[in-house]
Structure formats: structure tokens, C-alpha cells
Amino acid sequence: MAVPVSPARRCLQCAAFLAAFTVVMTILLVSTDVRVPRSRKLLNLSEDLDFRNVVQDDPQLISYIQAVHLRYPQGSGTIDGNQSAPRLLPLWTPLVAKLLRYKRGGVFVEAGAYGGGRPSDTQWLERSLGWRGLLVQSNPLDFLALRKHTRPGSSCLLGCLSPMPYPKEVSVRNAWKQVPDSPADHLFSRVKCFPLYSLLLAVNTSSVDYLSLSSDGSELQVLKTIPMDRVNINVIGVQWHETRAEDMLSFMARHQYHLKKKFDQFYIFVHQRVET
């Protein structure tokens, strides 16, 4: 016959259980407490995704870019005489056109297009000379601004140029300036980054008349991923903020590019074959 448990004993058992539970949970919380600054708590703190086994010209990678990430032009990209030039024309755009002898039907790649409200390097080339090409923007808000511009000769990609010869996934700010009333001034999202050579293959070209490159400090690393023996780029414009300009100049010289002109922090390089 079972011995009945008194109310007092039941209370003691419950109290012991609660005390043990409290001690265990306290130990767990203390041992797993990782103090992260408030500004970083909005970040995706997972490891960047690297696809190290994927080569730049992998056919499956190229098909994936074409099917999932490219936004294709909505027109033929032919010249429309009724379209006026942008009101804010970058200072170096006329120089690019002059270096290429005002070539019609040229090909461009612009990374960082419409970033931070800036005008596009290539809009005038497309509208006035019938060029076509690829616009790359990693900032989701700037990408929306990019999409608002009617560019019938331009494919678009929300993403960035990888500083490695394989795809990456990274965190980027969703805004180019501080977001009002946000807890940490900025919101972040994850975007895919692809090697430039992979993107060229995705748009079916290996020859580029003008490459405009602005990629938040990774410009030189991006250029180093390009297999120069398989790609022809005539003129390269580089946004270069680093103090060691000789690193960029030395790299470009090894690949037969020389500095044509510098506009503040924007460098225009031309390949020697263009002026021969």
C-alpha cells in the first residue's frame, strides 16, 4: 500500500526541482553568453559562402547566372535620336568615347552603376552610340534606382564582382547612406558575387570596349581574377581609393595598360593595342 505524500513534502520537492532548474539554466546562459556590439546584431553572422570548387567557366555556373541572376534588356539597344544625354555626365565618359574613336555598337560592363545616386558611366554611350552591355549593382536600393532607368541595351545583375576566381556570398549594406530611425544606422542583406569572367561568359562575350569598375575597395582583387589571355578589354576605368596607387599602376602596366588620365580617384587606363 502506497504511503501518501504530505503537502509539506510535495512543496519541498517542487522547491528543490525549481532550484536545480534555475542553477542549470543560469550555468547554460553564462557559458553561452557572447557579447556582440549592438551594431553587429543586425548582421548575418554566418560564414561567407565560398564555392571554391567551382571554376570561373563552369558551364553549370554560367547557366545558373543566366537563369537566375541576369535581368535581360527589354529592347534592341538601338539608337534613339529623341533621347537626350544624361544631365550629369561623368567627366571621363567623353574621354572614353574619344579614346575608342566614337565607336558605334560597342560593349561595356559597369560595376557599381548608379551607386549612391551617381550617374552611370555608360548611359550616354548606350543612348548616343548604340552600345550594349551589363550593369552590376550590389546595393538592393541602388539596384531599384538602376531598374528605373530605361536601358534597352543593358542586362542587369543584382550582385557584385567576386574578388576571388570563384563565386562568393557576402553581406552588403542595403543603403548607401544612413537609414533614419534604424537601430544600427544600416540594414544588411546577403548577395552573390561572381567572377567578372563568369559574367562575361553569361552575356556571351569575351571582348569589352569599356569596363567601369567600382567595387568598394576590392577593385584590384577583381582585376586579378580576370584571365587576360582569354579576355580583351580596351579601356578600363577604376575607382581607386587606396593610397598605394603604385600597386594598381604596376598591375596594369604588366598587362599592357597605361594610365591615360586621372579624375580625382577615378583612373582611366587604355590598352596599348587601342592606340596603335
Side-chain angles (χ1 to χ4, degrees), residues 48-214:
D48 286 350
L49 298 181
D50 295 345
F51 304 89
R52 296 178 183 273
N53 295 325
V54 180
V55 295
Q56 298 190 65
D57 57 354
D58 186 301
Q60 291 185 333
L61 172 61
I62 305 308
S63 297
Y64 168 71
I65 294 172
Q66 293 171 332
V68 177
H69 290 277
L70 277 182
R71 302 292 182 266
Y72 295 94
Q74 300 176 349
S76 62
T78 55
I79 302 171
D80 183 349
N82 295 322
Q83 290 180 320
S84 59
R87 287 181 299 172
L88 297 174
L89 188 67
L91 294 175
W92 48 87
T93 300
L95 175 60
V96 171
K98 183 178 180 181
L99 288 172
L100 296 169
R101 301 174 180 87
Y102 298 94
K103 178 179 179 178
R104 305 184 81 82
V107 176
F108 62 80
V109 174
E110 183 177 357
Y114 301 99
R118 297 188 304 272
S120 166
D121 288 17
T122 59
Q123 184 173 331
W124 182 84
L125 297 171
E126 180 178 330
R127 290 185 173 184
S128 300
L129 299 177
W131 283 38
R132 60 181 178 85
L134 174 65
L135 303 173
V136 180
Q137 177 54 252
S138 61
N139 185 312
L141 295 183
D142 286 334
F143 185 76
L144 293 177
L146 183 161
R147 294 288 285 169
K148 289 180 181 178
H149 291 79
T150 302
R151 301 286 297 266
S154 299
S155 299
C156 304
L157 182 135
L158 173 58
C160 59
L161 299 184
S162 176
M164 301 297 179
Y166 48 81
K168 290 177 65 71
E169 183 177 295
V170 299
S171 295
V172 299
R173 291 184 179 92
N174 283 350
W176 59 272
K177 60 182 180 180
Q178 290 187 342
V179 180
D181 303 322
S182 67
D185 296 328
H186 295 285
L187 301 177
F188 293 80
S189 62
R190 303 286 286 179
V191 298
K192 297 287 193 303
C193 300
F194 301 101
L196 177 59
Y197 184 52
S198 302
L199 296 180
L200 294 180
L201 294 179
V203 296
N204 301 309
T205 188
S206 59
S207 295
V208 177
D209 293 292
Y210 175 50
L211 167 63
S212 176
L213 182 56
S214 177

